[in-house]
Amino acid sequence: MTKRALLLINRHSRKGKENFAQTVDLLNNWDFEIISVPLKKVEDIPFLLEKYRSSIDLVIVGGGDGTLNAMADMLVETQLPLGIIPLGTANDLARTLGIPNSIAEACRIIAEGNLKYIDLGWVNNKYFFNVASLGLSVKITQKLSKGLKRRLGILAYAWTALQVLSKTRPFTAMIGIDGENIKVKTLQIAIGNGRYYGGGMPIAHDAQIDDQRLDLYSLEIEHWWQIFPLLWTLPRGQQGLLSWVRTLNGKEIQIQTRKPHSINTDGEITSTTPAMFRVIPAAIGVYIPRQETQF
């Protein structure tokens, strides 16, 4: 049976512009009826989903994690199934779900129709897929240019991090979790819903996108040399092995700071402290490979 799909491709993403025609052809071959709308900016996504919600069976998005973040709220409202064509720089949600970067394979996965429901994170009325954070990561986001991402790809994150690290100072925060309040002095607090963030780093060694919990770590660094063990443990999700990295998990987390701090969700600055974080279990349906019974 032919399904009608709204195809949204961010042509400003790293691969969006050159892969648009190929994506349309592949989906047509899989017998989708495609409604394709030029996406000039990601801020248009909620309007487009509202406009077409009653006339489509699913929405297919070509872009990166920022593009997906822009549509998370409307996906919850419309409950439209989501197909993902990874065309961004990091593609952390696709990595978490086992969706390959191959456009042909991503289209095949959508056509097979293996729909699974995943959790979403929520902070101050904004949904997110992968991770929300404040501190160092916000400064990286503010400095990271689209041009650098296009030229260097995933290496752009590491290069930018090195540039801002020496200028970032610790801040004091109060973390509320499971009825306990913990005061910390930290460079960064990250709260993950999915497994991967920042180009393939696990938020925790056992994090999953359907485990109905949020995973938090706080970088409580006091000496410059402590950066070097982080370079080894962070890419493996093993930062909790270090005594100066606090790790926690729960269904609801509060963060308070003396002055407002910006919050980055999936690579986009969308909120500020004080903040309430929650996990929303089985919030939306996403097409994933058939062999991915667990994330």
Side-chain angles (χ1 to χ4, degrees):
M1 181 179 177
T2 300
K3 286 190 175 182
R4 199 174 195 199
L6 175 64
L7 175 63
L8 299 173
I9 289 188
N10 180 5
R11 302 188 195 186
H12 298 290
S13 67
R14 191 170 180 228
K15 303 175 184 176
K17 186 175 181 180
E18 59 264 32
N19 290 297
F20 173 76
Q22 180 189 2
T23 303
V24 172
D25 288 343
L26 286 166
L27 291 171
N28 283 332
N29 290 339
W30 283 108
D31 203 28
F32 285 100
E33 182 182 343
I34 298 297
I35 300 173
S36 178
V37 181
L39 186 59
K40 296 180 180 179
K41 54 185 185 296
V42 295
E43 290 79 10
D44 292 338
I45 289 176
F47 166 77
L48 294 170
L49 285 178
E50 178 63 34
K51 180 178 179 180
Y52 291 100
R53 62 188 293 179
S54 62
S55 58
I56 58 175
D57 300 302
L58 70 154
V59 57
I60 300 173
V61 178
D65 294 303
T67 305
L68 290 160
N69 180 267
M71 69 187 310
D73 294 49
M74 280 300 294
L75 284 174
V76 174
E77 180 178 330
T78 62
Q79 285 298 294
L80 286 165
L82 172 64
I84 299 173
I85 310 291
L87 298 178
T89 303
N91 299 315
D92 283 309
L93 178 59
R95 190 191 309 267
T96 292
L97 298 174
I99 299 171
N101 287 336
S102 163
I103 296 174
E105 283 298 298
C107 290
R108 180 184 59 79
I109 288 165
I110 298 168
E112 287 178 346
N114 185 38
L115 190 67
K116 295 293 182 180
Y117 282 83
I118 64 171
D119 303 341
L120 288 179
W122 178 98
V123 53
N124 294 353
N125 292 315
K126 177 71 181 81
Y127 292 95
F128 62 93
F129 288 97
N130 302 319
V131 70
S133 57
L134 56 151
L136 177 63
S137 63
V138 169
K139 296 183 183 297
I140 293 172
T141 297
Q142 290 170 332
K143 189 173 179 62
L144 187 63
S145 69
K146 291 182 179 179
L148 190 64
K149 287 169 69 175
R150 289 194 185 98
R151 291 195 303 273
L152 299 183
I154 204 66
L155 293 177
Y157 291 92
W159 174 253
T160 306
L162 290 173
Q163 289 181 302
V164 303
L165 189 57
S166 62
K167 302 175 183 178
T168 302
R169 297 292 176 264
F171 62 96
T172 300
M174 186 69 73
I175 302 172
I177 184 169
D178 296 334
E180 182 182 5
N181 290 319
I182 305 166
K183 188 176 182 179
V184 300
K185 189 173 183 180
T186 181
L187 279 180
Q188 171 167 295
I189 296 173
I191 298 174
N193 167 63
R195 178 166 178 79
Y196 294 109
Y197 74 105
M201 295 189 295
I203 187 70
H205 71 93
D206 59 346
Q208 303 294 336
I209 203 166
D210 60 349
D211 58 13
Q212 300 186 17
R213 80 180 196 206
L214 299 173
D215 293 283
L216 176 150
Y217 73 76
S218 171
L219 300 182
E220 298 166 19
I221 294 173
E222 297 181 356
H223 308 286
W224 64 267
W225 57 264
Q226 292 173 315
I227 294 297
F228 295 104
L230 278 175
L231 297 177
W232 175 260
T233 56
L234 270 175
R236 295 164 174 78
Q238 297 175 339
Q239 58 271 11
L241 297 176
L242 303 175
S243 61
W244 57 87
V245 180
R246 188 185 306 270
T247 58
L248 303 163
N249 63 70
K251 295 181 182 296
E252 190 171 286
I253 300 171
Q254 293 177 297
I255 303 290
Q256 298 183 45
T257 54
R258 185 174 59 83
K259 61 180 183 179
H261 280 254
S262 296
I263 295 173
N264 170 336
T265 60
D266 296 336
E268 307 294 323
I269 297 172
T270 57
S271 190
T272 63
T273 56
M276 171 66 78
F277 299 81
R278 295 189 180 104
V279 62
I280 312 298
I284 64 168
V286 186
Y287 295 107
I288 69 166
R290 289 196 179 278
Q291 67 270 24
E292 296 293 330
T293 56
Q294 290 186 336
F295 304 113

